[in-house]
Structure formats: structure tokens, C-alpha cells
Amino acid sequence: MSDNLTKTEATEATAATATTTPGTPSGLLWAVLGGSLATAASAFLAWTWTTDFPGNLTIYGNPAPLQLLTLVGAVLTAAYALSALGVKGLGWLSPAGSRKALWIVALGTFATTLFTALSIVVELGALVDLEPGAGVAVVASAVPALAAYRLPDDTRRPARAKALPSWAEILIIVVVFALGLFVVTFGIDTDDSEPQLFIAYLILVGFSATALIKSGVTGRLAAMTARNRQVTVTASLVMAIAFPFIQQSGDTYTLIAVNILIFATVALGLNIVVGLAGLLDLGYVAFLGVGAYTAALVSGATSSAFGVQFPFWAAALTGMAASLVFGVVIGAPTLRLRGDYLAIVTLGFGEIFRIAMGNLDGTSGPQITNGPNGIPNIPQLEFFGYNFGEPHTVLGVELGAYANYYLLMILIMVIVVVVFSRAGNSRIGRAWVAIREDETAATAMGINGFRVKLVAFALGAALAGLAGTVQAHVNTTVVPENYVFAGPVPPNSAFLLAAVILGGMGTISGPIVGSALLFLIPAKLSFLQDYQLLGFGIALILLMRFRPEGLIANKRAKLEFHENDEQPDVPEQRRPADAESDAGTAKAGA
């Protein structure tokens, strides 16, 4: 008995010693923590000696924005390392395991730091332009990435979260949305003369978001927001409205936000057609053009062939009605087709619309749209004396013209989201999903497939037309070149479809996120315009490989795409028969 106790004590002592030896999980975690702290300290050093590099990385003790990104990544890496070491109060960072999340965020910090150092060398032309602080940052950030990679996998099923009081959950939701607003604003407000900052921002945000997903934090937050739906909706609305009030550069970047909202509204309409009903529409941007041209013709433009000026609400309804009629006219003879045939027909409709708008110039056709020159000088909107084209002071903050249109698009986005959610949860919404999954089976169950698809086509077209009415007033001109299948500037049909697929088909937030990424990245990285489609194709290939259900997927799509994935190791429950068999075997052995 004493020998057994001695062996047990020796084993425990050996295990205790192993946990602190470098190369063991505990030793590797301490290496991650030390490297993260060194990386954070390096952000306060000078990384270059000259101010010729954008951002001024020459000051000690005052990190530039590029150095702040490294600092944030280092702090997040250190937090995950402390969580893996079992520090009380940080267990919520890794409910599904910390190893993958720790490695991903450490790798993201290293990639961000290395990119900054390489940018300095390329921009200034020599390796000697780096100060020792940059070398310290690169080496120190590489240590956590290498150490975290060697950690054993600790993936597990997330344990049931401890119940929190309602006020605590509401506070967490508010803090998360406020942090999200800060992160989004930081990315949009990056100076266009510093593309390195925006690229580094994308690297760090991408890796950090992936780490939060892998660790299970986003799943916990999703459950929390589902329990407090009204608070979540209110917080998201307040966050969106607050955006123009915290802009430091006036309307410089608010225009980007307005175009993102227009793009997202049209993508949500397409999501009804593609995401819910499963209809591949490659000419959807034409419905946006119908709404824009209709609004331009009836809003009092100087070159309008009709010479009328409707108030905005009437112009918006007219644009929606015109797009809806076009949707029915195009859908009625074509929706009996399926798959590639329907896609080809809709692609043809999009090109026919663009060419027709260019030919209605009084020479090739009637004088309606002024041909390739389009309809310029569309007047600014005006509600009860409130001119959207003029700056106004609201709550002590001066809002420019684009901020006015931004708030209008927030209202329209709310309307579109309500329509999408109500339609998707209705009887016809369930019919759309049935048609998408198996049209033959749905028809056999009594669903009128043609009528259901026509309703989806018409509703999606109407929502696109509504967004088009605002786009016409924001741009103050409408030209046929804005409504092509694929081009360098979104929205176009290819980018709209990509936004739905990238964000997640059949969801509300998915197309919004996809639209924001696909519009913001080209707008901020204009120097890559010639390689935009190449990068776009590479991104889609990577997405289809690693996350085919989209960035924000519904439960059905997630289960369909990952039903064969390996599940975390979970102890199997022993059946009574197995226990009896083991008992019989033991008796036989005895």
C-alpha cells in the first residue's frame, strides 16, 4: 500500500514539474504571455526614424494608429493566454477551448506587425529605415504565434453559461455594440492616404473575429441577444443613428456609409430572391436602375422628359411600383425556367435594360432618358422645409448633406428589414424555403411554385426600386453605366450576388455585412482597383473552402455544410448492456 502511495506521489510531483517546464502546455502559455507583453511594450517604441512614412511612427511613448493595432492584438493575445492559464474571471473568453483562438489571434498580431514593418521597408526603400523598435515588435509577436501553435488542442463543447441577471446581460449587449461602433468607425475613418493602416486594420479584425468565433464567445453573445431581442434591436438602431454624430471629418466618410446602406438594402431584396426562394438572378441591378430612373423622371430634374415634381414619398412609391411591374413582367414568362436557364435570362434582362436606357435619347428611340448622358441635376430632397442638401445642426452637432441621407437610409433599411423578416417567417416565406430546397417535392405537397416564385421576384424588385429612389438623389444624376453586370464600382449584379453569398444567404445581418465589406474595401483601397476582381475571386475561393455557409449563416445552412465535420471529443454514455458485458467478462477472467 505504501509503495502504491509512493508511486502516486512521485507521479504527481513529475506532473507538477512538467507543467512548468518549457515545451509543456503551461510553459508554452507563459511564453505566449511573455511575448505578448513584450509586443505591447514595443508599440511604445519608435519603428522608423523618418516622418516620410504615413502615420509618423517616430515618437516614443505615443503609439501611432498602426502601432495601436499591434498593441490591441497583443493585449487580446495576453488575455487569451491568461484565460488558458486558468486566471479567474477570464474563463468567458474561451467557452469552447482556447488553443485555436489563442493561436489565431497571436498569428493575427504577428501578421499585422510584420505587414507594418514590411510596409516601412517597401515605402522608404531600405531595411535601415527600421528603428530597433520595429525589430523588437516583429520578433516579440512571432514568439506567441509559434508557442500557441505547439499547444495541444483543447476543443470542447461549450459548457452551459452561468445565468446572469437581466441588467448584466443588457449591459454586456450595450458594451459590445458600443465597441462594435468604435471598431467600424475606426475602419471607415482611416485616411485614404494611408492604405497601410486600413490593410493592417483588416488583418487584425479578420483574425480577431475568427478567434472569437472559434472560442465560442460569439455563440454566447448570440444566445444572449436572442434572450434580449428588443434590447438588441434598440442598441443596433441607436448605434447606427449615432454614427454621423461621432464623425470628426464631417461628410468625408459619411458618403461611404450612405452607399453601403444603399448597397445593403438592395442586397437584402436580392436575398429574398436568392437566399429564400433559391432563384439565381444575375440581372438584379436593373431593378435598382428602374427605381432610380423613375425617381429622376418624376422628381423635377431639369432634363426630365415629363416635367413633373413629386414629393419624395410619391416618387419613392412610384419607383417601387415601376420596379414591381418590371419584376412581374420579366418574371411571368421566365420563372418557369430553372437553374442556369433562369440565370441566363435574368442576365439578358439586365443588359437589355442598360442598353435600352442608353438608346432612349431621341435619336435611337424616344427622348426619355437622355441616352448615355443620363439625367443630371436631380434636385435635393426636401421634407417640410428640411433640405437634405444643406447642413443642419442637430443636438449641437452639424450634420452635412450626406449625413441627412444616411439617416434617411437608416429609416428605409428598418422598413426593408421588417418586410424581409415578416415575409421570411410567414406562410409564403416557408413556401419559398420549400421551393429552394426541392421544388418538385414542394409542388407535390400543393405549393404553387410559379406563383410563389413570382411573388418573391416582385417583392425583391420593389425593395431594390425603393433603394434606387434614394440613390438617384444622393448621386444627383443617373447614367446607364451605373447598372452593369460586373464593374469596378458596386453596386452591380455580380457584387450584389456576392454580398448575399459572402454574408450568408437567408439571413438579415449576413447581406449587410457582406455589402459593407464589398463596398468599403474597394473604396478604401482604390490603388488596387486594377486587381479588384482578382482579389475578389481569391476571397470567394477561400470562403467556399473554409466557410461555405457565409460569414453569418442560419442554422439550416450551417448544419448542411458541416454535418460531417469532426465533433469535439465527448465521453460516451455507457449503455446498461455494455456494463453487463463488462461485468461478465470480468467474472470470466476471474
Side-chain angles (χ1 to χ4, degrees):
M1 184 70 178
S2 60
D3 293 339
N4 291 336
L5 288 176
T6 303
K7 291 180 180 179
T8 302
E9 291 173 355
T11 303
E12 292 176 352
T14 303
T17 304
T19 57
T20 57
T21 303
T24 62
S26 181
L28 292 172
L29 287 174
W30 282 110
V32 172
L33 182 59
S36 300
L37 295 178
T39 304
S42 69
F44 294 89
L45 304 176
W47 288 12
T48 182
W49 60 271
T50 174
T51 57
D52 292 341
F53 186 78
N56 192 7
L57 280 66
T58 64
I59 304 175
Y60 284 85
N62 186 17
L66 276 168
Q67 295 168 307
L68 283 176
L69 293 178
T70 295
L71 177 61
V72 171
V75 170
L76 190 56
T77 304
Y80 268 107
L82 291 174
S83 174
L85 285 169
V87 175
K88 188 175 181 181
L90 291 177
W92 58 271
L93 275 174
S94 54
S98 59
R99 186 263 174 183
K100 286 186 177 180
L102 178 58
W103 177 64
I104 290 171
V105 73
L107 184 62
T109 305
F110 171 67
T112 303
T113 307
L114 181 63
F115 170 78
T116 303
L118 293 177
S119 298
I120 295 173
V121 175
V122 173
E123 182 77 16
L124 302 181
L127 189 62
V128 295
D129 292 309
L130 291 175
E131 283 287 291
V136 172
V138 172
V139 174
S141 61
V143 172
L146 294 174
Y149 178 75
R150 294 186 58 192
L151 286 171
D153 193 2
D154 63 344
T155 303
R156 57 184 180 270
R157 293 186 184 276
R160 184 179 295 276
K162 181 180 178 181
L164 296 175
S166 298
W167 65 267
E169 291 190 344
I170 293 174
L171 180 61
I172 291 174
I173 293 173
V174 171
V175 171
V176 168
F177 273 95
L179 182 61
L181 176 61
F182 173 78
V183 172
V184 172
T185 304
F186 183 91
I188 293 179
D189 286 353
T190 53
D191 194 347
D192 292 345
S193 63
E194 300 181 31
Q196 302 91 345
L197 176 58
F198 184 73
I199 295 175
Y201 162 83
L202 287 180
I203 294 173
L204 183 62
V205 169
F207 276 94
S208 300
T210 305
L212 293 176
I213 293 172
K214 290 293 185 181
S215 64
V217 173
T218 55
R220 288 276 176 88
L221 290 176
M224 197 176 297
T225 54
R227 291 192 296 268
N228 301 272
R229 189 174 299 274
Q230 293 182 349
V231 175
T232 302
V233 172
T234 303
S236 60
L237 188 59
V238 170
M239 181 191 73
I241 294 175
F243 174 78
F245 291 91
I246 61 176
Q247 290 294 297
Q248 302 296 324
S249 53
D251 263 9
T252 304
Y253 300 112
T254 309
L255 176 60
I256 296 178
V258 173
N259 287 318
I260 288 175
L261 289 178
I262 293 174
F263 194 5
T265 302
V266 183
L268 277 174
L270 180 61
N271 199 21
I272 294 177
V273 179
V274 177
L276 295 182
L279 306 174
L280 185 56
D281 188 347
L282 298 182
Y284 186 76
V285 74
F287 298 121
L288 176 68
V290 171
Y293 266 100
T294 302
L297 291 171
V298 301
S299 295
T302 55
S303 57
S304 172
F306 298 153
V308 296
Q309 185 170 2
F310 290 179
F312 174 69
W313 63 268
L317 292 178
T318 305
M320 288 182 63
S323 297
L324 188 147
V325 169
F326 269 85
V328 173
V329 169
I330 299 302
T334 61
L335 286 178
R336 300 186 187 278
L337 301 173
R338 299 187 187 182
D340 299 338
Y341 301 100
L342 177 61
I344 293 173
V345 170
T346 54
L347 175 61
F349 164 64
E351 291 301 302
I352 289 171
F353 169 79
R354 180 180 60 83
I355 295 172
M357 294 300 102
N359 288 335
L360 298 179
D361 56 358
T363 301
S364 302
Q367 174 58 278
I368 298 178
T369 65
N370 203 25
N373 297 323
I375 304 176
N377 301 323
I378 301 172
Q380 301 289 344
L381 293 179
E382 188 170 345
F383 284 158
F384 302 105
Y386 187 94
N387 193 314
F388 279 62
E390 299 177 355
H392 298 273
T393 301
V394 179
L395 300 177
V397 178
E398 184 176 351
L399 299 180
Y402 294 129
N404 299 326
Y405 284 107
Y406 172 86
L407 296 176
L408 176 62
M409 277 308 305
I410 289 292
L411 176 61
I412 292 177
M413 174 68 75
V414 170
I415 295 174
V416 172
V417 167
V418 170
V419 171
F420 182 92
S421 60
R422 295 294 184 183
N425 294 325
S426 66
R427 179 179 178 182
I428 195 169
R430 293 191 292 272
W432 288 335
V433 174
I435 290 291
R436 181 192 67 194
E437 297 299 324
D438 192 330
E439 185 173 351
T440 302
T443 304
M445 295 300 294
I447 296 176
N448 188 329
F450 172 75
R451 185 177 64 185
V452 168
K453 291 189 292 184
L454 186 60
V455 171
F457 216 69
L459 180 58
L463 296 181
L466 176 60
T469 60
V470 180
Q471 185 196 42
H473 289 87
V474 171
N475 296 338
T476 67
T477 184
V478 179
V479 292
E481 286 74 17
N482 289 342
Y483 310 104
V484 297
F485 169 71
V489 180
N492 51 64
S493 293
F495 273 66
L496 287 170
L497 184 60
V500 175
I501 298 174
L502 173 67
M505 293 190 297
T507 64
I508 293 176
S509 54
I512 297 176
V513 173
S515 301
L517 291 175
L518 290 181
F519 193 95
L520 183 61
I521 293 175
K524 303 298 290 186
L525 302 178
S526 56
F527 70 97
L528 293 177
Q529 191 170 21
D530 294 338
Y531 305 97
Q532 179 178 329
L533 292 179
L534 174 63
F536 172 64
I538 294 174
L540 283 182
I541 292 173
L542 294 175
L543 180 71
M544 293 299 102
R545 169 61 182 86
F546 295 104
R547 198 169 178 83
E549 71 274 19
L551 297 177
I552 302 177
N554 58 22
K555 294 181 179 179
R556 181 193 300 271
K558 194 170 184 179
L559 290 174
E560 288 177 354
F561 284 108
H562 297 282
E563 59 181 354
N564 296 324
D565 288 1
E566 293 183 3
Q567 299 295 330
D569 294 333
V570 179
E572 297 183 357
Q573 294 183 354
R574 297 177 61 81
R575 296 174 299 176
D578 296 335
E580 293 176 1
S581 176
D582 291 346
T585 303
K587 290 180 180 179

